[in-house]
Amino acid sequence: GNSVTQMEGPVTLSEEAFLTINCTYTATGYPSLFWYVQYPGEGLQLLLKATKADDKGSNKGFEATYRKETTSFHLEKGSVQVSDSAVYFCALSSYYGGSQGNLIFGKGTKLSVKP
Amino acid sequence: DGGITQSPKYLFRKEGQNVTLSCEQNLNHDAMYWYRQDPGQGLRLIYYSQIVNDFQKGDIAEGYSVSREKKESFPLTVTSAQKNPTAFYLCASSAVLLSYEQYFGPGTRLTVT
């Protein structure tokens, strides 16, 4: 079946540090890939997405590139801020592999940014 | 402002009681979803609905029930049959069924003792 694996947290960084959160996937067919962010006490917000190989999703200084050859979709940001502290979820959607197009989430990576 | 509202934010119940979580959206979306989130876990799909009076089981539907009598509303009932109901429950909606662009509500944290 389809699945998403992302690096375990928590990740603690100083302000202005470079961020990478690794995400790899297993999927049948040609999935779409996403990063969602969850701020403390809130629901999830779509951060960025990529729907085909080599697409780069970007938003709010974050970016991720859909790499079919390595089945990866790593999230990066060049300079994090305290306000980026949140839990980040990698997810995929595929109409194959038993998922019927539903979103499949990774377990989430908690990011804490210190001033 | 368009969005999804869930109420209440915190809910406490005694074991053996059924409890209903509210979810309302004014985005005119056709599809709605319920997810469960546990600490250190991703989101798991409980139920989803494409249209009024129709809904489908997700990955962990046992012990839960839903209804979709109106397009805007998709309440979730956590029954006494759910063995481990304490969790954070998230409702979402999308313009079409199985669209990747799902919009989430703020969630309800249910504690059963």
Side-chain angles (χ1 to χ4, degrees):
Chain A
N2 299 327
S3 65
V4 173
T5 302
Q6 61 183 104
M7 63 186 286
E8 293 195 20
V11 173
T12 303
L13 297 173
S14 297
E15 208 165 20
E16 299 183 2
F18 184 85
L19 169 71
T20 300
I21 300 178
N22 291 336
C23 172
T24 57
Y25 67 90
T26 301
T28 304
Y30 305 95
S32 296
L33 301 173
F34 320 93
W35 279 99
Y36 279 82
V37 58
Q38 184 178 34
Y39 298 103
E42 298 183 10
L44 276 67
Q45 302 174 27
L46 179 63
L47 181 59
L48 54 83
K49 65 187 184 226
T51 57
K52 62 183 187 298
D54 299 325
D55 269 1
K56 177 185 282 188
S58 61
N59 186 25
K60 299 182 182 179
F62 291 90
E63 58 182 36
T65 301
Y66 187 163
R67 301 282 187 205
K68 195 172 190 320
E69 63 276 12
T70 54
T71 62
S72 65
F73 192 55
H74 305 321
L75 182 68
E76 296 182 334
K77 186 175 185 183
S79 176
V80 293
Q81 305 301 312
V82 172
S83 57
D84 293 326
S85 298
V87 180
Y88 292 81
F89 291 92
C90 185
L92 72 81
S93 175
S94 173
Y95 286 89
Y96 306 98
S99 302
Q100 302 173 46
N102 288 332
L103 285 173
I104 305 297
F105 288 89
K107 293 187 176 182
T109 302
K110 183 175 182 179
L111 169 66
S112 295
V113 181
K114 306 299 182 186
Chain B
D1 283 338
I4 300 177
T5 56
Q6 292 186 244
S7 59
K9 192 170 180 66
Y10 299 96
L11 192 54
F12 299 88
R13 281 295 182 269
K14 295 289 187 186
E15 194 172 323
Q17 294 178 333
N18 291 353
V19 58
T20 298
L21 282 58
S22 167
C23 177
E24 305 277 333
Q25 56 100 357
N26 61 4
L27 299 168
N28 199 34
H29 284 171
D30 291 315
M32 298 186 74
Y33 312 79
W34 274 105
Y35 293 90
R36 172 183 171 131
Q37 184 180 21
D38 295 286
Q41 300 294 314
L43 276 67
R44 292 182 290 169
L45 183 65
I46 305 172
Y47 268 98
Y48 61 99
S49 168
Q50 179 181 11
I51 56 173
V52 173
N53 293 325
D54 182 67
F55 43 82
Q56 305 295 327
K57 292 182 179 179
D59 300 320
I60 55 164
E62 186 175 348
Y64 300 98
S65 66
V66 293
S67 63
R68 186 91 185 273
E69 297 177 3
K70 299 186 300 181
K71 185 176 183 177
E72 303 79 19
S73 178
F74 191 41
L76 173 75
T77 297
V78 184
T79 75
S80 57
Q82 168 49 233
K83 303 227 180 303
N84 188 15
T86 294
F88 190 49
Y89 290 89
L90 288 160
C91 179
S93 71
S94 65
V96 296
L97 178 66
L98 308 181
S99 164
Y100 52 71
E101 194 122 11
Q102 293 185 18
Y103 294 80
F104 284 80
T108 292
R109 186 166 299 281
L110 172 65
T111 303
V112 176
T113 57

